[in-house]
Amino acid sequence: MSDVDFEALAQAHVDGGRAEWGTMMGHRCLRKAGQFAAMVTKGEGHLVLKLDPTRVVDLVASGRGQSF
């Protein structure tokens, strides 16, 4: 995912009052109630999301995701 795509998607959540901008490990990120929610890694453009552990296991098992 490009930074531009992430910014547009995230800004819609910020504008709607569902999230706010923040930083994590030097990356601009989206936060919900002060907790990390999403970011795109610099360079690689990997979308990193905070998900329920069960969902992470399912995504990794299916080959569609990686644990971060």
Side-chain angles (χ1 to χ4, degrees), residues 13 17-22 29-38 50:
H13 288 274
R18 296 179 302 275
E20 57 277 342
W21 287 111
C29 75
L30 197 61
R31 293 183 171 275
K32 183 173 181 176
Q35 298 291 315
F36 168 79
K50 183 173 186 176

Side-chain angles (χ1 to χ4, degrees), residues 2-45:
S2 75
D3 288 338
V4 172
D5 290 337
F6 177 70
E7 293 273 335
L9 180 64
Q11 191 62 50
H13 288 274
V14 171
D15 291 345
R18 296 179 302 275
E20 57 277 342
W21 287 111
T23 58
M24 182 173 164
M25 299 179 351
H27 299 274
R28 190 167 188 201
C29 75
L30 197 61
R31 293 183 171 275
K32 183 173 181 176
Q35 298 291 315
F36 168 79
M39 73 179 183
V40 172
T41 60
K42 294 179 183 174
E44 303 90 5

Side-chain angles (χ1 to χ4, degrees), residues 42-66:
K42 294 179 183 174
E44 303 90 5
H46 295 270
L47 178 62
V48 179
L49 303 170
K50 183 173 186 176
L51 299 171
D52 179 88
T54 303
R55 182 71 173 130
V56 173
V57 169
D58 291 343
L59 288 168
V60 170
S62 72
R64 295 178 54 210
Q66 296 177 332

